Amino acid sequence: MFFDFGAGEIFGLGVLAVILVGPERLPQLAVDTAKLIKKVRAMATNATTELRENLGPGFEDLSPSDLRPKTFIKKHIANALDEVDAAERAPKFKAKIDPDLP
């Protein structure tokens, strides 16, 4: 399913939660956990937005995955290779036509 958990593991974790927390407090724990996840997501979104604003123009499409060193290096190498390819495809010289020829 997700995070390499199967249905059996999820069911087992649910039963364990009911035993440890108790059925009367489990709904409130689920609500508190959902609020915590929502706060963490909001903080991550705010941090990304502030980072984009502080970096200035040219970084509008920045995503947190771009800050990983491996992704950063791959992106810059790909851009450099694209520039080399574009330079190779460009004509080495421009032919000039003599306007005096008939």
Side-chain angles (χ1 to χ4, degrees):
M1 289 180 68
F2 55 86
F3 299 119
D4 202 24
F5 287 127
E9 286 93 359
I10 293 174
F11 180 73
L13 289 174
V15 169
L16 186 65
V18 169
I19 292 171
L20 293 177
V21 176
E24 60 278 347
R25 292 189 317 187
L26 191 61
Q28 185 60 38
L29 180 67
V31 169
D32 292 341
T33 304
K35 287 180 183 178
L36 177 68
I37 291 172
K38 188 175 180 179
K39 278 185 179 181
V40 169
R41 283 185 183 170
M43 288 186 339
T45 302
N46 288 338
T48 305
T49 304
E50 287 181 18
L51 183 63
R52 284 185 191 139
E53 290 173 359
N54 290 334
L55 287 175
F59 292 96
E60 293 85 17
D61 59 344
L62 178 72
S63 68
S65 64
D66 292 338
L67 299 176
R68 294 184 190 139
K70 187 175 181 180
T71 307
F72 183 78
I73 291 170
K74 279 184 181 180
K75 184 176 179 180
H76 285 287
I77 288 175
N79 287 342
L81 291 175
D82 289 342
E83 290 174 5
V84 169
D85 288 343
E88 288 177 356
R89 281 185 264 137
K92 304 269 188 249
F93 61 91
K94 291 192 176 195
K96 296 182 181 178
I97 300 176
D98 188 6
D100 294 334
L101 289 178

